[in-house]
Amino acid sequence: MSADPATPNPPRTHPTARRFLIQGTVQGVGFRPFVARLATRLGLHGSIRNASAGVIIHVEGPEPSIHAFTTALTLEAPPASRIESIIETPEDPRGASTFQIELSGPALSPSVRVPRDLAICPECASDVADPNNRRFAYPFTNCTACGPRFTILAGLPYDRSLTTMTRFPMCPVCAAEYADPSSRRFHAEPNACPSCGPRLAFWDQSATLQTHAEPDLTAAIQALRNGAILALKGLGGFQFLVRADREDAVQRLRTAKHRPTKPLALMVADITAAQTIGILSPDEQRELLSPENPIVLIERRDAPNETLARSVAPHVGRIGVMLPTTPLHLLIARAIHCPLVATSGNRGDEPIVTSETSAVTELGDIADQLLVHDRPIARRADDSVVQIIAGQRQVIRLARGLAPWPLSNLEHWIARHGGAGPVLAVGGQQKVALAFWSGEQAVLGPHIGDLDTPQARADLERQTQSLTELYRFTPHQIACDLHPDYVTTRWAEAQGLPTVPVQHHHAHAVATMLEHDLLDDELLALCWDGTGYGLDATIWGAEFLRTRVDGFTRLASLRPLALP
């Protein structure tokens, strides 16, 4: 009979041992501390470590306790984790007397999911708001349930030594938390405090440290109150912040960014503030409060909102709203007492800036001041954008908190049918994101954007190198758009590898089949996507395609017309 998972002292019987390989999203989400606490609670001994394949657990003890352990692994796993498979095999007992978190295994081709960034959790929000807490007002507070992951990751497996936090040795108090199984910062890799962690600096446009009596954060908040445009170094890159109730400030930002009418997203301190701007469904509230922390498009209230400048989102019925991502964002939002425009820290269609030095040269003529910090950003990530359609999340921009996105349906399809070696897919010319099959994982990478500038094209190459290095694979072929003049097509052809040209609308159709796990079916696909290069070397649009994974038949389309 199985022991109850909550039983603190299960009866002792003849010890047995098991090895578990857990695959899925199990690194960077508090999974190892959870397993260590669970094993200790059940009186089991052994170890757990990160490995490129997932997490590897060795437990030994009475058989009923191991059975309870197996059951609780899935029932009690941390909310941000996602177990995709558990491979259990018998092992010989090693005579362990405790349960330990061990050093990570060797870096091989990873099948473990890359951890994604998690927004500040309620417990850490309470810490930074508590004057009696040693992390009061500390902008880099985190725990196993929240904080930076993908954006600070230099390699796998996910350990502090392979993140940009390696330059910040933990003080004795933080180190004690990190080693304490009862602490929610037990093995929280970005763990830090004001004594040992990253620090802020408040600069003017020339990177001169501003001299002021108050702390850097207080000075930056006062600048925002006065209507300044602040360039803030956030989690995955810089953002421009400005008061959303100051028409003059919003217009200055629009003019400087050459963004005359496109809606600007807002950041508010909490759900109550969001409800003053738009009408929130329960699903939209859930998205706003989720650890992924995306910008959510919501319906604007009919009554004029006197707290918003007219030019924030002119002539649209919906507006993008987000809650604070990090303690730094939360401290600013709570102090300003009005919505803030929070938009990408870039110029035009260029990539968002990630380093302080680049921010001075590229954003200095837009921002009045800069609030920077000394924790390097390893991987650029813009803010994700979603909307709710018929109760379901629809992702408009896959970025921070959501990327890298595992394509599990494709992995299952490849497992059933077999496939070629590693493949890199580079997309089209606009709204570009990379995707790949590494031989172990199928993944959709973060949003890159349009490739109309040299900076964006350079970012395509950087992201390609970054993802292939992180997942440790070399593509054997490259999939690209059929259009011969797209930047991605020309880049793919220049790599010296076999290329697989894909018709634009067929790509959209198969992507939808992938999303809904219909890759084995034949469908009628209505592709209302504007234009795409056709098989007859003309520009197609609005296609009716009889679609399979490996090809299509064009059944109908709009009548063609001559273009100049």
Side-chain angles (χ1 to χ4, degrees), residues 125 134 187 264 376 484:
R134 74 188 190 94
H187 277 264
L264 298 167

Side-chain angles (χ1 to χ4, degrees), residues 257-344:
K257 280 200 72 173
H258 304 290
R259 187 172 173 175
T261 58
K262 187 176 180 181
L264 298 167
L266 299 176
M267 181 175 68
V268 294
D270 50 39
I271 284 290
T272 301
Q275 289 170 330
T276 66
I277 296 169
I279 301 168
L280 293 176
S281 70
D283 292 321
E284 288 164 342
Q285 288 194 43
R286 188 161 48 249
E287 286 294 333
L288 284 169
L289 292 167
S290 71
E292 292 87 353
N293 182 236
I295 296 169
V296 182
L297 298 185
I298 63 174
E299 182 183 351
R300 296 180 71 157
R301 292 196 174 275
D302 292 334
N305 192 317
E306 296 180 358
T307 64
L308 293 185
R310 290 189 306 276
S311 60
V312 166
H315 315 303
V316 294
R318 293 187 301 165
I319 192 165
V321 177
M322 68 185 296
L323 299 187
T325 306
T326 69
L328 176 57
H329 291 93
L330 181 64
L331 292 165
I332 293 172
R334 284 179 172 174
I336 296 298
H337 302 301
C338 77
L340 287 165
V341 167
T343 191
S344 305

Side-chain angles (χ1 to χ4, degrees), residues 456-476:
R457 294 192 281 274
D459 190 45
L460 171 72
E461 296 200 30
R462 279 194 299 269
Q463 295 244 21
T464 301
Q465 180 177 358
S466 173
L467 287 174
T468 54
E469 289 178 352
L470 178 63
Y471 287 86
R472 290 187 286 278
F473 78 98
T474 301
H476 294 181

Side-chain angles (χ1 to χ4, degrees), residues 62-79:
E63 186 64 38
S65 297
I66 291 180
H67 180 75
F69 176 85
T70 305
T71 302
L73 274 178
T74 53
L75 293 180
E76 302 178 23

